[in-house]
Amino acid sequence: MVFANSDRLKSALLLVAVLGLASGLVLFAVDKPHAATFAWRSGVVPVLVALIVEILRRLWRGEVGLDIVAALSMSAALFFGETLAASVVAVMYSGGVFLESFAEGRARREMSALLSRVPRTATRHANGTLVDVELDNVVPDDLLLIHQGAVVPADGEIASEQAILDKSALTGESMPVRLGRGDEAFSGSINAGEAFDLRVRHRAAESTYAGIVRLVEAAQASKAPMARLAERYSILFLAVTLALATAAWWFTGDPVRAVAVLVVATPCPLILAVPVALVAGLSRAAHFGVLIKGAKPLETLAGIKTLVLDKTGTLTDGRPQIISVEIFNGMSHDEVLHFLAALEQASKHPMARAIVAAARQRGLMLPAPEHVVEHPGEGISGTVSGRQVSVGGVSFINKRLAATAAASPMMNVGTVVVALAIDNKIAAHITMADALRTGTTELLAALRKLGIGRIVLATGDRRAVADNVTKGLGLDAVNSELTPEQKVHLVLAERKHGPVMMVGDGVNDAPALAAADIGVAMGARGAAASAEAADIVLLLDHLDCLLPGIEIAKRSQRVAMESVVAGIGMSVVGMVAAALGYLTPVEGAVVQELIDVAVIMNALRVLAIKPRIGKEEYRPKA
């Protein structure tokens, strides 16, 4: 329906049409009918010319829409001397185009807010001074100062004692969160507290926020199958409209009846409701941390029946965590963690980073280790607060302790035991594992409530590990030791149960994500390849973001269809009334515009969706 790409042109045409109608009414009121007719024609012709140009452009692209009905109604009204009706149609039509543009702009509000907040520069520590640099010049390991109220420009770790971040633009969380030293901070968050230092982990172009901006730009240019379906139905509606207008003229001999029918059918809710509702759905999903790469994936998401889950980093956290601590020498848990984490600060091993993060979460002050010696693949030793400390595998520590070694602990499938020795005596065994995410059982139950009837696991890990992790989850199938190619075959095979959604975060998941009807990537720590191949990116590494995303998709589709059915129904009733002589062309134009306004306002209800199944419903209480 849009006959120009420029919002300024849309506004100008509406102004011309309104001035033509208003001046004509004034002239008619002062008994100057010929001048009034000229004014009305003057307001119609520019709109009609612009409309015909747009119709020709669309026909050149192979598109046929209900703009033709609008052109026919204005042309017929002018030809048969119904200049007032033609002027009303011109105002209503140009007003409808303007209103549609305004509605879509309102629906894109959340996404546009993301784009407008992209930082351009950053403040970097350099040789004891602060220097403002272009964002493109920020590299990993740079230390940035994030001012109060500033947007975090790149992904990194908190390098100060604490930071308070507002993540509402990324996740929809209304309350700022408090982070400690070593915690992850994602680009796009806002510093809601005092200034803090950030250790950069990724270039700005590779960070979460930059990826969001790219996804938003792609999503805004998309068109859904439902929108294309609406266009195909519009051709049928066009045929019905022309047939009814011709019949009204044929049986009554009154061409004004035909004009009235054409006027009531202009414009049609088919080409208003669907794009506005779907774009609003994209915007609303983004507010809850679900970036959907267009209207087509949004529509497909509403009909998903099977969910295929990767294990590491998806069903599990993807990082080792402390599961239990066995203490041998009477020390407290915090004392063990103090010596363990203090020494592990010198290591870059993923388990070392997990241990340090656990200590900081408990508020422990960690001194810098001294005389550190790392034994690659085995362990690390050094001095902490004047005491000799060694950390590593059980066999490594037992060799160093000889006769004083403790018995090797029993290890469950998928766990690793780290041994701690202090002053040549065994102090503790720390059991670590890539644990199942908290609340996973409740999450899967909530997904089934939303219509996903089959949930299966697809992992490259060993069968024993997969079975241990998924015990008690009630999955429909557990598939282990899969290659990337086998994951693709699994996704394709699951299609016999209905549309398939695949969730993953690694490079090895990218082919399966691309093969699925809907691919979902864990965006915060996931691989770039998986985010590129996916249709949806979760801005946080939490599967619970899927819940509001799926619910918004379903309700957006339902609102779009409700608007189409109600709008078309009312239009058909109006057309029949016009054909029977109960509506004049002017009255028909006003009635149709009221229908269009109602349709657009109904579609915008999507922006107010508050998911009924959300985080608070199933997340375990603290």
Side-chain angles (χ1 to χ4, degrees):
M1 175 176 177
V2 179
F3 54 79
N5 294 325
S6 169
D7 289 338
R8 185 174 298 177
L9 178 57
K10 295 173 187 176
S11 301
L13 289 174
L14 175 59
L15 179 61
V16 168
V18 169
L19 288 175
L21 176 61
S23 59
L25 290 173
V26 171
L27 290 169
F28 188 82
V30 296
D31 199 24
K32 294 185 177 181
H34 295 294
T37 298
F38 178 79
W40 288 329
R41 286 182 182 274
S42 299
V44 173
V45 171
V47 176
L48 182 58
V49 170
L51 176 56
I52 292 173
V53 170
E54 177 60 19
I55 289 172
L56 293 175
R57 286 177 179 171
R58 296 191 63 177
L59 289 173
W60 180 260
R61 296 195 300 265
E63 300 175 1
V64 179
L66 292 175
D67 293 338
I68 295 175
V69 177
L72 286 174
S73 64
M74 280 187 272
S75 301
L78 289 176
F79 182 80
F80 290 108
E82 294 286 339
T83 50
L84 174 56
S87 183
V88 173
V89 171
V91 170
M92 296 305 179
Y93 179 80
S94 56
V97 171
F98 181 83
L99 182 59
E100 179 187 12
S101 176
F102 173 79
E104 288 200 5
R106 168 115 161 65
R108 297 180 194 271
R109 180 177 57 187
E110 303 286 351
M111 293 185 176
S112 298
L114 290 172
L115 297 177
S116 66
R117 293 172 56 254
V118 179
R120 306 298 179 189
T121 61
T123 303
R124 182 169 63 192
H125 288 275
N127 301 320
T129 62
L130 293 174
V131 180
D132 287 335
V133 297
E134 293 294 324
L135 207 55
D136 290 341
N137 295 328
V138 174
V139 298
D141 287 331
D142 275 355
L143 187 64
L144 304 182
L145 176 66
I146 310 301
H147 298 283
Q148 186 175 29
V151 176
V152 176
D155 293 345
E157 294 181 357
I158 306 298
S160 301
E161 286 303 315
Q162 72 170 16
I164 300 175
L165 293 183
D166 177 358
K167 297 183 179 181
S168 58
L170 299 178
T171 66
E173 296 180 54
S174 58
M175 299 299 294
V177 296
R178 186 182 301 272
L179 302 177
R181 186 186 297 273
D183 287 339
E184 291 178 300
F186 298 118
S187 54
S189 304
I190 299 175
N191 181 9
E194 298 296 326
F196 67 90
D197 290 334
L198 177 83
R199 180 70 63 183
V200 176
R201 293 304 177 200
H202 302 286
R203 286 182 173 273
E206 301 168 356
S207 290
T208 302
Y209 202 66
I212 293 171
V213 170
R214 289 192 293 270
L215 294 179
V216 167
E217 290 171 339
Q220 288 181 333
S222 70
K223 181 182 286 189
M226 182 184 283
R228 297 187 178 95
L229 182 64
E231 289 174 357
R232 290 198 294 272
Y233 281 140
S234 71
I235 298 174
L236 175 62
F237 191 82
L238 170 61
V240 171
T241 300
L242 293 177
L244 188 57
T246 302
W249 188 358
W250 178 269
F251 287 108
T252 66
D254 183 3
V256 176
R257 296 276 186 99
V259 173
V261 171
L262 292 174
V263 165
V264 174
T266 309
C268 178
L270 269 173
I271 50 179
L272 290 172
V274 173
V276 171
L278 295 183
V279 171
L282 293 175
S283 176
R284 193 60 178 157
H287 180 76
F288 287 92
V290 185
L291 249 295
I292 303 175
K293 296 183 182 179
K296 180 180 178 180
L298 178 76
E299 188 177 344
T300 305
L301 180 61
I304 290 298
K305 299 300 180 185
T306 299
L307 174 61
V308 178
L309 291 169
D310 175 46
K311 181 183 72 67
T312 305
T314 303
L315 201 59
T316 65
D317 188 62
R319 295 178 295 184
Q321 299 179 26
I322 296 176
I323 303 301
S324 63
V325 178
E326 184 182 7
I327 302 173
F328 297 106
N329 60 2
M331 299 175 69
S332 69
H333 183 281
D334 281 356
E335 287 176 316
V336 167
L337 197 55
H338 167 84
F339 285 103
L340 178 69
L343 182 59
E344 291 283 35
Q345 291 179 104
S347 175
K348 295 297 184 182
H349 194 281
M351 285 194 289
R353 296 183 65 179
I355 290 169
V356 172
R360 285 175 174 157
Q361 286 177 358
R362 295 178 70 92
L364 301 181
M365 298 298 294
L366 304 178
E370 299 176 334
H371 313 301
V372 176
V373 178
E374 189 159 9
H375 308 271
E378 294 186 298
I380 187 172
S381 59
T383 304
V384 175
S385 300
R387 304 183 69 173
Q388 294 296 319
V389 180
S390 297
V391 178
V394 175
S395 59
F396 168 72
I397 296 298
N398 284 348
K399 288 177 183 177
R400 296 176 67 85
L401 301 184
T404 61
S408 297
M410 294 292 294
M411 289 192 295
N412 295 322
V413 175
T415 64
V416 174
V417 175
V418 175
L420 168 69
I422 300 176
D423 294 334
N424 293 319
K425 293 181 180 179
I426 188 69
H429 284 154
I430 298 91
T431 302
M432 305 190 70
D434 181 13
L436 194 69
R437 291 180 184 269
T438 302
T440 298
T441 302
E442 294 82 359
L443 167 65
L444 298 183
L447 287 169
R448 293 190 188 275
K449 285 183 181 179
L450 288 173
I452 296 179
R454 183 172 170 82
I455 303 177
V456 303
L457 181 74
T459 180
D461 215 334
R462 291 174 295 132
R463 180 73 191 193
V465 174
D467 287 340
N468 185 61
V469 168
T470 60
K471 188 182 302 180
L473 291 183
L475 298 183
D476 296 283
V478 175
N479 303 275
S480 58
E481 302 181 45
L482 299 180
T483 64
E485 184 179 5
Q486 289 171 328
K487 285 188 177 183
V488 171
H489 292 321
L490 173 64
V491 166
L492 297 178
E494 287 293 337
R495 278 186 171 162
K496 65 178 179 283
H497 300 289
V500 176
M501 177 166 62
M502 167 73 185
V503 184
D505 75 327
V507 173
N508 63 327
D509 295 320
L513 292 174
D517 296 284
I518 289 290
V520 180
M522 311 292 282
R525 292 198 307 268
S530 62
E532 185 70 24
D535 303 289
I536 298 173
V537 177
L538 305 183
L539 303 187
L540 288 183
D541 285 322
H542 295 300
L543 276 175
D544 52 18
C545 291
L546 280 176
L547 296 177
I550 294 173
E551 186 171 349
I552 288 169
K554 287 180 177 292
R555 293 171 67 180
S556 297
Q557 188 180 51
R558 185 164 61 248
V559 167
M561 290 308 301
E562 287 172 354
S563 298
V564 167
V565 172
I568 292 299
M570 289 186 289
S571 293
V572 169
V573 171
M575 289 161 58
V576 171
L580 295 175
Y582 293 110
L583 288 177
T584 66
V586 174
E587 293 168 343
V590 174
V591 167
Q592 183 56 55
E593 187 60 20
L594 292 176
I595 293 173
D596 293 335
V597 171
V599 163
I600 290 176
M601 297 309 294
N602 184 65
L604 284 175
R605 287 194 300 119
V606 173
L607 288 174
I609 289 176
K610 294 181 179 179
R612 291 184 291 266
I613 297 180
K615 296 177 182 178
E616 298 305 322
E617 179 174 325
Y618 64 85
R619 181 170 286 173
K621 302 299 181 183

